Amino acid sequence: MMDHYRAVLAANDRGGYTVPTHGLYPFQWNWDSAFVAMGFATFDIDRALTELERLVEGQWDDGMIPHIIFHQPADSYFPGPDVWRTGHRIPTSGITQPPVFGYALAFVAARAGTAQEERIGRLYRAAIANLRWWRRARDPEALGLVAVLHNWETGRDNSPEWDRPFARVPETTDTPIRRRDTSHVDAAMRPTDADYRRYIHLVDAYARVGWDPARMWAVAPFKVADIGINAILSASAEALIELAERHSGGGDAAWLKETSTAAFPWSERAQCFVSLDLIDGQPLEVATSAGFLPLLTGSPTNAQADRLARHVETCLERGLLPVPSTLPGQPGYEPKRYWRGPVWAVVNWMIARGFVRHGRPDIARRLDATLAQAIDRIGPCEYFDPETGEGLGGGAFSWTAAIRLLLAEAAEAASIAS
Ligand code: DGY
C-alpha cells in the first residue's frame, strides 16, 4: 500500500522538487517541501536532501526562505511572479512560511549517516541563516516572539484567529484579482473573494516598499505573532543543536538553545496556546490546532499538556476526526472551509510528535491511527472534514502522502518495539 503514496510523490516530482499537487499548486512551496523531504527520508535519503536543496535555491541573501519558488512558469495559479515583483534571481514570492525546514533537515540528517556531510553542512548553514533572519527581520523589537506580516506566511491563511486583525486590511488592490484556485477546488472549501482582496492588498503594499524587511515592518497593517510559527521555530532551533556540534564546531549551539526556549501565550478561555495581535497587543483567543504545536517544545507544563490531551479525547468521544484546524464551537468554525475547521495531516503529525515528547504516547497513537485510517479510506487529499471524514480541497497531495509514509514507519517501529 505504501507504494501508492510513494507514487503520489513521484507523480508530483518536477525534477528534484515536488509540487504540492498538480494544477492548484504548480510550484515549490516552502513548508510543503519540508514535510515531503521527511516523507522521502523513509525510503530515499538522496531525494530527501535534493528536495531541501531545491528549496534553498530560492533563499534570499538575507536568509529568508520564500513561501513559493517559481522554478518554471505555470498559469494555473494566482498570484504568479508578475504580481510578487520581487526581482529575485530565481522568481519567488516575497514572504515566507512556517520554518519546518530546520526540523526536517535534522530529521533527514539523523538518517543520512556520514556520507552526506557536505550536503548537510550546506543545508545546515541555510537553516541557521533562515532562523537568524526570523529573529532579526521579524522580531526587531525583541519581544521574544516572531511576527508574520501576511496570513499566507502562517500557512493557515483563513483561520478565524486572523479575522479580527485581518479586518484592518483594506480590500483595495492595485493588482486585478484573477483567482485560479476556485477553478480547481469548490469555492466553499476555499477562502472568500474578500479574503483574496485583502491578501493582494498586502502583496501590493509590500511590493511598493521593495520587499525590504524594515520598511515592510513599518507599513504592515497586519502583524501577528502566530503560535504555529513560533512553536515550529523553537522546535527547529532545538532540532538543529546536534548538527551545530558537527557543522559550526558548536559555535551556534548556545544561540540555538536560547532560540528554542520561548514563553508562549496561553488562553484559559480557549484552553490552549494562542497567537497575539501585535498591533493592539491582544491575544487572539481561538482554539486552533496550531495552539497545540508548543508541545513540540519543552515549554508546556504538565497541566497544559493535559488540557490539550483533553481536547483530543473530547473530539474522539464525539466521533470527530481529531484535530480540527479550528475546534468545533469556536467562533468562525466551518468544517469544510480550508483552515476554519478541516483536519490537516501535517499539523496532526506534529501534534502527535509533541504528545510523545510530553509523555502521552497513547494520545499520539490514537491521533496517528485515526489519521492513517482517514487517509487510507479517502486517499491523500489536501484536508478532511472533521465531522464526516470527507476528503476536501486538492487531491493526490504530496504532504499528505509524505505523512502517510511517516505514519507507516512509526507504526512499524512501534510494533517492533512491542
Ligand atoms: C494559496 O495560494 O492557497 C496558498 O495558501 C498561499 O500560499
Side-chain angles (χ1 to χ4, degrees):
M1 182 189 273
M2 289 309 123
D3 285 352
H4 169 63
Y5 298 108
R6 292 181 187 190
V8 169
L9 296 185
N12 288 338
D13 188 334
R14 296 289 179 274
Y17 72 92
T18 312
V19 298
T21 189
H22 174 73
L24 179 63
Y25 294 123
F27 310 108
Q28 186 174 22
W29 257 260
N30 180 334
W31 72 324
D32 291 72
S33 269
F35 289 106
V36 163
M38 291 190 273
F40 272 125
T42 64
F43 64 100
D44 186 346
I45 292 293
D46 178 61
R47 182 60 184 78
L49 289 169
T50 305
E51 185 77 27
L52 298 175
E53 287 164 347
R54 298 274 355 231
L55 181 64
V56 298
E57 281 174 22
Q59 185 168 29
W60 287 16
D61 292 343
D62 65 0
M64 197 268 280
I65 303 180
H67 97 296
I68 308 174
I69 320 296
F70 299 105
H71 289 289
Q72 301 169 30
D75 60 12
S76 61
Y77 179 79
F78 172 86
D82 52 320
V83 176
W84 290 97
R85 296 157 276 172
T86 58
H88 192 255
R89 57 183 181 274
I90 296 178
T92 70
S93 68
I95 57 171
T96 188
Q97 250 184 347
V100 184
F101 179 80
Y103 187 91
L105 172 62
F107 184 97
V108 177
R111 289 140 190 259
T114 48
Q116 307 281 5
E117 277 303 275
E118 253 183 65
R119 294 173 80 188
I120 291 169
R122 276 195 298 274
L123 289 166
Y124 166 79
R125 285 185 285 283
I128 293 293
N130 182 239
L131 295 184
R132 290 195 185 274
W133 172 84
W134 271 105
R135 283 270 160 245
R136 197 175 54 243
R138 295 308 183 81
D139 185 17
E141 291 156 24
L143 299 173
L145 294 172
V146 296
V148 296
L149 307 183
H150 195 300
N151 325 38
W152 285 341
E153 295 195 310
T154 69
R156 294 176 292 109
D157 309 359
N158 64 341
S159 169
E161 293 155 281
W162 319 138
D163 287 357
R164 202 181 51 176
F166 200 40
R168 290 190 201 103
V169 177
E171 286 188 36
T172 50
T173 67
D174 300 340
T175 301
I177 297 187
R178 302 203 171 89
R179 288 186 71 169
R180 305 302 310 272
D181 57 320
T182 44
S183 62
H184 304 286
V185 169
D186 183 342
M189 299 174 190
R190 294 285 306 172
T192 64
D193 285 344
D195 290 335
Y196 261 78
R197 286 192 290 275
R198 293 192 165 106
Y199 296 148
I200 299 303
H201 178 96
L202 292 175
V203 172
D204 286 339
Y206 303 142
R208 235 178 276 125
V209 296
W211 301 103
D212 172 72
R215 295 175 71 200
M216 287 168 69
W217 187 266
V219 301
F222 180 86
K223 201 180 276 178
V224 300
D226 167 25
I227 189 62
I229 292 221
N230 278 282
I232 290 169
L233 185 84
S234 291
S236 279
E238 187 179 273
L240 288 169
I241 292 174
E242 206 181 310
L243 285 181
E245 309 291 342
R246 297 216 298 275
H247 294 282
S248 70
D252 295 330
W255 181 80
L256 286 168
K257 271 191 199 116
E258 204 181 297
T259 299
S260 68
T261 45
F264 302 112
W266 171 268
S267 159
E268 276 303 314
R269 193 194 311 161
Q271 293 286 298
C272 79
F273 292 97
V274 292
S275 303
L276 270 186
D277 182 349
L278 295 185
I279 291 188
D280 65 12
Q282 295 303 308
L284 298 163
E285 298 194 74
V286 185
T288 68
S289 54
F292 291 60
L293 293 180
L295 290 168
L296 285 173
T297 75
S299 166
T301 62
N302 271 334
Q304 287 168 331
D306 283 344
R307 311 270 185 86
L308 296 171
R310 190 67 212 124
H311 283 305
V312 176
E313 284 159 352
T314 306
C315 284
L316 290 166
E317 284 157 17
R318 294 188 186 157
L320 298 170
L321 179 63
V323 176
S325 46
T326 302
L327 297 192
Q330 295 291 299
Y333 168 74
E334 291 181 67
K336 289 190 171 24
R337 199 184 287 280
Y338 211 40
W339 288 91
R340 298 180 81 83
V343 176
W344 292 73
V346 291
V347 180
N348 267 32
W349 183 79
M350 290 189 285
I351 293 173
R353 283 19 304 136
F355 277 120
V356 171
R357 176 182 184 148
H358 286 273
R360 285 155 181 87
D362 49 324
I363 296 279
R365 265 197 302 275
R366 292 171 80 187
L367 277 174
D368 282 357
T370 50
L371 179 62
Q373 280 160 14
I375 300 173
D376 289 345
R377 199 171 54 240
I378 306 280
C381 60
E382 190 176 3
Y383 39 96
F384 297 88
D385 182 325
E387 297 178 13
T388 63
E390 186 188 342
L392 307 169
F397 231 81
S398 298
W399 71 5
T400 313
I403 292 297
R404 185 64 189 89
L405 294 171
L406 289 162
L407 293 176
E409 195 189 71
E412 197 181 309
S415 74
I416 292 167
S418 63

